[in-house]
Amino acid sequence: MDRSEMMGVFLAEAEELLQLLEMEILNLEQQGDAPHIIQNIFRIAHTLKGSSAAMGFEEMKQLTHEMENVLDQIRHQLLPVTQQVVDILFQCLDQLNRLKREIEQDGVTKTNIDSIVQQLRQLETEAEGNRESDSQLLEQKKQKAKKWICKVRLSDQCEMKLPRAHVVLQQLMKWGTVISSEPDLDSVSDETNLHEISYIVKTDADADDLRHALRQLMDVDEVEVVPFSTDSLTDAFLSLTDAHKEEEPEHPLPTQVRKEERKSGHTIRVDVEHLDSIMNLVGELVIDQTRIAQVGNLLRDRYAADETIDDLERISNHFSRIIGEIQESVMKTRMLPVERLFNRFPRMVRDLARSLNKDVDLLLEGKETELDRTVIEEISDPLLHLIRNAIDHGIEEVGVRKKRGKPLKGTIKIRAAQQENQVVLTVEDDGAGISAERVKESAIRKQLIAAQDAEKMSEQELIQLIFLPGFSTAQTVSDISGRGVGMDIVRNHIEKLNGLIDVQTRPGEGTKFTIKLPLTLAILRGLLIKLQETTFALPMNSVIEIVRISTKEIYSIKGQAVVKIRDKILPLIALHDLFRMPCGKRKTANVFIVVVGLADKRLGLVVDDLLGSQEIVVKSIGSYIGQVEGISGATILGDGSVALILDVTGLFKLAHNLRSSQSHVMDDVG
């Protein structure tokens, strides 16, 4: 492995470790000095120190080393976990993130860490003072130290059992004194049969803390911690299975945890480019499979009595099933749980609430929901903005909430869930809600909408004005929000992902934003439509519904064709007009309308015919013909022809520029 590959592995590992570190420091702040949390932070700092030292990044190594020293003092109860300690640990985290970014961008570190190192050393000095005054107490603690027998079963797949047993030994030594082990690790010459090791440990830690720490280690399948006694000495070296059976009723080992621990030892890191390449190849297979199926149908029509066609269809069906499974598997390899995204929010909410002197509880649901890693990266900024807005403008100050009879602590709930082929994210707060009247006044004052137009708008339509560029109801501009460059950016990001956003709000009760996103952007479910003899594909996740209505139900408002569907007025555009295509005479007075959505907007598209939906592989056309408004790419259909994929964002822009299509929509009926 050359240095560039090692750097990639190092940065990926550092990213994961820093995210874990942030979560554990937050836990430390909320739960106090729980031994397992301190131990987790220590372990993360230790791992980061080792990998940064191996890569030659001295500042990162030094900073994590100083963190270890402070954590060691906390672990031995020489230093209490105060808010000052937590704040300094957060500062360490920020510095480590900064160092990592510098390594990522420039390959070297530039940040001066002297200040934060000095703060850490000051904490160590305080701990040393405590050591003197608490020496008697410590002596008493030592006298009260308990002895445990820690039995560990290594994974059968562990290729280096003896080194792994030593790693377990080192882990236990962090908690206290390891009196002995069975077998004696120094005398083991053949590690082939080394499966179970028992350690006698003297420590003031609890069994749960030891058990938790050992389960975090790689290649450790099962752990049992039982009290040590002279009577139990003989039993100390019983097989782990027997001992486990005795203890199971009192300390059941969750099956889920065991499975996850085993699973974690069988994962590998894969470069994203490799996954992209495999995805492209699968896309080619999907296209070929579609073509084979279509050719089979043609042959069936021509040679219905030929039994060879039956064989071809069976092969085609099998081929289709296998490709479907491969496609699903490859897509899953690109999927990540949104937990990686959610992990960024607690720290931000904590810092922001403190800076605004508000008390906010953050609830995260559906962390296990999976989403394509590209979509996760793109949706991060919009979600952060919605959360910032919820805290800054939504959640009221404590005094206001008390007057309104609300819980003093505000709540922000972020939820993720999969619904068919899309993921739904919601950001909900129990704050002040959005006043439609204030939105209207602000939009008129900023000349974003004419007063006479605003008077005709419904309450929901007024609320949608928050997505206009330059809109803001904030009275003052702060570092957090209020510059009027917020919700339109959110909308743009979601549009870029072909997603939808909706907002529901009740003044005094709170606001809920709902975002719907496609699972992946590489292979989509597409609706095939026809304009004359040309076939186009529309991403299904943008299609709200399809209706067939009479042209008599199409009306005109200021030159804009509109239709009323379930009491909602929708603007109507003929796709022929958008692409300047000739439009033939219709044989009936009815037209197909595909209602598409983009973020908060809706638009009805008039098409000639509908061919159904199918999987479409997105192919870029940018390098061949350049950027074309309203077209996002192309796909190959079953008959080998190319169909252009419509870009819903571009369609909305084209529709905005096209002032009137009413005459075309209504006059082309024969």
Side-chain angles (χ1 to χ4, degrees):
M1 184 182 289
D2 59 25
R3 183 168 174 81
S4 64
E5 290 175 319
M6 290 172 63
M7 183 70 85
V9 173
F10 166 72
L11 289 171
E13 182 187 39
E15 175 71 25
E16 289 180 11
L17 290 173
L18 291 175
Q19 283 195 15
L20 286 173
L21 185 59
E22 183 174 296
M23 295 304 299
E24 294 296 347
I25 298 175
L26 282 166
N27 291 335
L28 183 69
E29 185 178 42
Q30 293 165 2
Q31 301 177 29
D33 55 348
H36 70 276
I37 297 177
I38 299 295
Q39 188 59 29
N40 286 344
I41 298 175
F42 188 96
R43 181 174 55 82
I44 294 167
H46 183 75
T47 307
L48 197 53
K49 184 179 78 170
S51 54
S52 57
M55 295 297 293
F57 298 119
E58 187 62 28
E59 285 77 9
M60 189 175 276
K61 186 200 82 174
Q62 186 186 356
L63 181 51
T64 46
H65 175 71
E66 297 292 344
M67 287 176 68
E68 275 187 315
N69 291 341
V70 170
L71 292 164
D72 194 48
Q73 306 290 0
I74 297 173
R75 197 169 54 181
H76 290 93
Q77 301 184 12
L78 295 170
L79 187 67
V81 177
T82 61
Q83 190 60 51
Q84 181 198 10
V85 170
V86 172
D87 288 343
I88 290 176
L89 288 177
F90 271 125
Q91 289 178 41
C92 291
L93 173 67
D94 293 339
Q95 292 282 47
L96 289 171
N97 272 312
R98 196 170 294 117
L99 290 170
K100 178 195 159 270
R101 283 196 298 273
E102 290 172 353
I103 294 169
E104 205 167 20
Q105 293 168 4
D106 307 320
V108 293
T109 57
K110 302 172 185 173
T111 298
N112 189 316
I113 61 170
D114 291 347
S115 174
I116 188 66
V117 167
Q118 185 60 35
Q119 292 184 64
L120 288 168
R121 288 179 178 169
Q122 182 63 36
L123 291 178
E124 288 180 55
T125 305
E126 292 176 17
E128 287 299 325
N130 294 335
R131 182 190 294 276
E132 296 297 327
S133 61
D134 292 347
S135 58
Q136 190 174 356
L137 182 62
L138 282 173
E139 188 59 34
Q140 292 175 358
K141 274 180 170 290
K142 286 180 182 176
Q143 291 176 3
K144 293 181 181 178
K146 293 164 280 189
K147 291 179 184 176
W148 301 99
I149 298 173
C150 301
K151 300 179 182 180
V152 172
R153 181 194 289 274
L154 298 179
S155 166
D156 294 338
Q157 284 74 38
C158 178
E159 295 180 351
M160 296 185 292
K161 293 185 171 62
L162 185 57
R164 188 59 63 192
H166 277 286
V167 170
V168 175
L169 176 67
Q170 293 295 323
Q171 178 74 356
L172 289 171
M173 288 175 66
K174 294 176 183 175
W175 291 85
T177 304
V178 178
I179 298 171
S180 66
S181 69
E182 174 61 30
D184 182 359
L185 299 184
D186 293 332
S187 61
V188 173
S189 56
D190 180 10
E191 63 176 16
T192 310
N193 297 317
L194 186 63
H195 299 293
E196 299 174 4
I197 311 103
S198 295
Y199 305 84
I200 300 177
V201 186
K202 185 178 180 182
T203 174
D204 56 354
D206 294 331
D208 286 343
D209 296 329
L210 294 173
R211 198 178 291 118
H212 179 82
L214 294 179
R215 283 176 185 166
Q216 307 305 311
L217 298 177
M218 188 179 292
D219 291 331
V220 172
D221 259 8
E222 294 185 29
V223 175
E224 190 62 31
V225 180
V226 297
F228 171 84
S229 69
T230 307
D231 295 338
S232 67
L233 187 58
T234 306
D235 299 334
F237 308 119
L238 286 174
S239 74
L240 183 64
T241 306
D242 292 341
H244 176 65
K245 283 178 182 174
E246 291 174 9
E247 290 294 319
E248 196 163 24
E250 189 177 352
H251 302 291
L253 192 63
T255 308
Q256 179 84 21
V257 172
R258 288 188 214 164
K259 287 180 180 175
E260 288 177 358
E261 286 171 354
R262 278 196 207 101
K263 193 177 174 182
S264 65
H266 298 280
T267 56
I268 58 171
R269 296 180 190 277
V270 180
D271 194 309
V272 177
E273 289 185 4
H274 293 329
L275 294 180
D276 289 342
S277 175
I278 295 173
M279 196 65 177
N280 287 334
L281 293 173
V282 170
E284 297 295 329
L285 285 175
V286 171
I287 292 171
D288 287 341
Q289 176 263 319
T290 308
R291 296 192 64 185
I292 289 173
Q294 183 130 350
V295 169
N297 292 335
L298 289 174
L299 291 175
R300 167 63 67 193
D301 292 340
R302 291 180 189 175
Y303 311 104
D306 193 333
E307 294 181 356
T308 309
I309 305 301
D310 296 335
D311 293 336
L312 177 62
E313 287 182 342
R314 278 194 289 272
I315 294 171
S316 175
N317 291 335
H318 181 72
F319 195 41
S320 174
R321 183 172 59 79
I322 296 298
I323 289 178
E325 291 177 3
I326 294 174
Q327 180 189 341
E328 186 178 351
S329 298
V330 174
M331 284 179 68
K332 282 183 178 176
T333 62
R334 294 175 54 89
M335 297 296 216
L336 293 174
V338 291
E339 182 179 11
R340 290 173 66 101
L341 175 64
F342 282 6
N343 286 344
R344 304 175 188 176
F345 302 147
R347 169 78 189 283
M348 190 266 283
V349 170
R350 175 243 184 212
D351 290 349
L352 196 54
R354 286 186 65 182
S355 69
L356 294 171
N357 198 26
K358 293 182 179 179
D359 204 358
V360 180
D361 197 11
L362 176 65
L363 303 179
L364 300 172
E365 296 180 0
K367 291 181 181 179
E368 69 286 352
T369 306
E370 292 188 326
L371 199 55
D372 189 287
R373 59 175 299 129
T374 307
V375 180
I376 283 183
E377 289 168 4
E378 293 290 339
I379 199 61
S380 174
D381 285 347
L383 284 180
L384 287 172
H385 195 89
L386 290 177
I387 297 167
R388 276 199 296 266
N389 262 359
I391 299 174
D392 194 16
H393 299 311
I395 303 294
E396 309 95 328
E397 293 179 354
V398 174
V400 177
R401 293 182 69 86
K402 189 175 181 180
K403 285 181 183 175
R404 293 178 178 175
K406 288 183 167 184
L408 300 184
K409 198 172 193 178
T411 301
I412 295 177
K413 183 191 293 183
I414 304 173
R415 186 171 183 274
Q418 185 173 340
Q419 292 181 2
E420 297 178 349
N421 62 340
Q422 60 185 2
V423 165
V424 180
L425 297 168
T426 57
V427 179
E428 185 175 7
D429 67 73
D430 66 345
I434 303 172
S435 165
E437 195 58 31
R438 280 192 62 196
V439 170
K440 183 173 74 173
E441 291 172 1
S442 180
I444 295 172
R445 188 170 60 251
K446 293 177 183 297
Q447 298 183 338
L448 298 174
I449 186 171
Q452 57 270 28
D453 292 335
E455 293 301 327
K456 300 173 185 173
M457 297 174 74
S458 66
E459 188 171 310
Q460 186 59 30
E461 289 172 329
L462 289 171
I463 296 296
Q464 300 295 327
L465 294 177
I466 63 173
F467 294 105
L468 289 176
F471 177 84
S472 175
T473 58
Q475 299 297 319
T476 57
V477 173
S478 68
D479 290 337
I480 302 158
S481 55
R483 295 189 177 87
V485 290
M487 297 307 294
D488 60 317
I489 302 297
V490 172
R491 183 185 63 183
N492 291 342
H493 273 83
I494 294 171
E495 285 180 355
K496 185 179 172 186
L497 295 170
N498 289 327
L500 303 172
I501 185 170
D502 191 25
V503 54
Q504 295 173 295
T505 183
R506 285 178 178 274
E509 296 183 15
T511 304
K512 178 180 180 181
F513 287 93
T514 303
I515 299 171
K516 295 181 180 178
L517 298 169
L519 285 177
T520 179
L521 303 177
I523 298 178
L524 306 173
R525 192 84 191 161
L527 174 67
L528 300 183
I529 61 174
K530 288 203 82 169
L531 297 181
Q532 293 288 359
E533 298 304 319
T534 306
T535 303
F536 294 89
L538 257 173
M540 278 298 289
N541 59 289
S542 297
V543 177
I544 306 296
E545 64 176 316
I546 299 168
V547 295
R548 192 179 187 211
I549 63 170
S550 167
T551 53
K552 294 179 181 177
E553 298 177 59
I554 298 174
Y555 305 95
S556 174
I557 298 179
K558 295 184 177 178
Q560 169 66 60
V562 298
V563 65
K564 188 176 183 181
I565 299 176
R566 279 184 283 285
D567 296 329
K568 288 188 177 179
I569 303 297
L570 285 178
L572 208 56
I573 293 292
L575 276 180
H576 303 86
D577 298 326
L578 291 185
F579 296 125
R580 302 178 187 280
M581 293 176 66
C583 182
K585 293 291 183 183
R586 297 184 187 277
K587 297 178 181 177
T588 70
N590 294 326
V591 293
F592 284 110
I593 295 176
V594 181
V595 181
V596 294
L598 184 69
D600 58 311
K601 297 174 288 189
R602 303 292 182 267
L603 178 67
L605 300 175
V606 178
V607 302
D608 288 343
D609 202 1
L610 301 171
L611 301 181
S613 66
Q614 69 174 52
E615 297 286 331
I616 57 171
V617 182
V618 180
K619 298 287 183 184
S620 173
I621 58 172
S623 58
Y624 297 104
I625 59 174
Q627 188 82 18
V628 179
E629 197 79 83
I631 304 295
S632 62
T635 189
I636 301 173
L637 301 178
D639 60 0
S641 63
V642 175
L644 295 174
I645 302 172
L646 298 178
D647 170 30
V648 178
T649 304
L651 293 183
F652 272 87
K653 288 179 182 175
L654 289 172
H656 180 74
N657 297 330
L658 191 66
R659 293 298 179 187
S660 173
S661 63
Q662 182 191 15
S663 58
H664 298 273
V665 173
M666 301 182 68
D667 294 345
D668 59 1
V669 180

